[in-house]
């Protein structure tokens, strides 16, 4: 963690904020069937950011999984 305290504090502040935003969306009447899958997209965003920012190797299966996740959220939102 040496030299990365700013990032650690940022993650520590933003992580609870995501949950607060989910609760706010549900309170405002957003359907749970749409909010829950959107929240789970954080895994995909992390994988894509690792690929773009950290230059991590991303295989065919990981990209396919990201595509399936996006397609699932789109299908849920259109129903």
């Amino acid at each position: 963690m040496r030299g990365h305290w700013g990032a650690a504090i940022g993650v520590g502040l933003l992580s609870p904020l995501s949950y607060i935003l989910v609760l706010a969306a549900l309170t405002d009447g957003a359907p749970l069937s749409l909010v829950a899958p959107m929240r789970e997209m954080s895994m995909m965003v992390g994988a894509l950011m690792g690929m773009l920012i950290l230059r991590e190797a991303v295989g065919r299966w990981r990209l396919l999984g990201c595509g399936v996740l996006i397609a699932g959220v789109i299908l849920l939102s259109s129903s």
Side-chain angles (χ1 to χ4, degrees), residues 45-72:
V45 170
L48 293 178
M49 287 180 69
M51 178 182 73
L52 297 173
I53 296 172
L54 301 176
R55 305 284 186 232
E56 290 181 352
V58 177
R60 184 176 353 163
W61 290 109
R62 186 175 295 178
L63 288 175
L64 179 67
C66 289
V68 168
L69 185 64
I70 291 170

Side-chain angles (χ1 to χ4, degrees), residues 9-60:
I9 291 171
V11 169
L13 292 174
L14 291 177
S15 183
L17 179 62
S18 70
Y19 186 66
I20 291 169
L21 291 174
V22 166
L23 293 178
L26 293 173
T27 301
D28 286 346
L32 180 62
S33 62
L34 182 59
V35 174
M38 291 295 286
R39 185 166 186 240
E40 297 307 318
M41 285 185 65
S42 64
M43 301 286 279
M44 183 210 58
V45 170
L48 293 178
M49 287 180 69
M51 178 182 73
L52 297 173
I53 296 172
L54 301 176
R55 305 284 186 232
E56 290 181 352
V58 177
R60 184 176 353 163

Side-chain angles (χ1 to χ4, degrees), residues 1-13:
M1 288 299 306
R2 290 184 200 136
H4 299 285
W5 286 105
I9 291 171
V11 169
L13 292 174

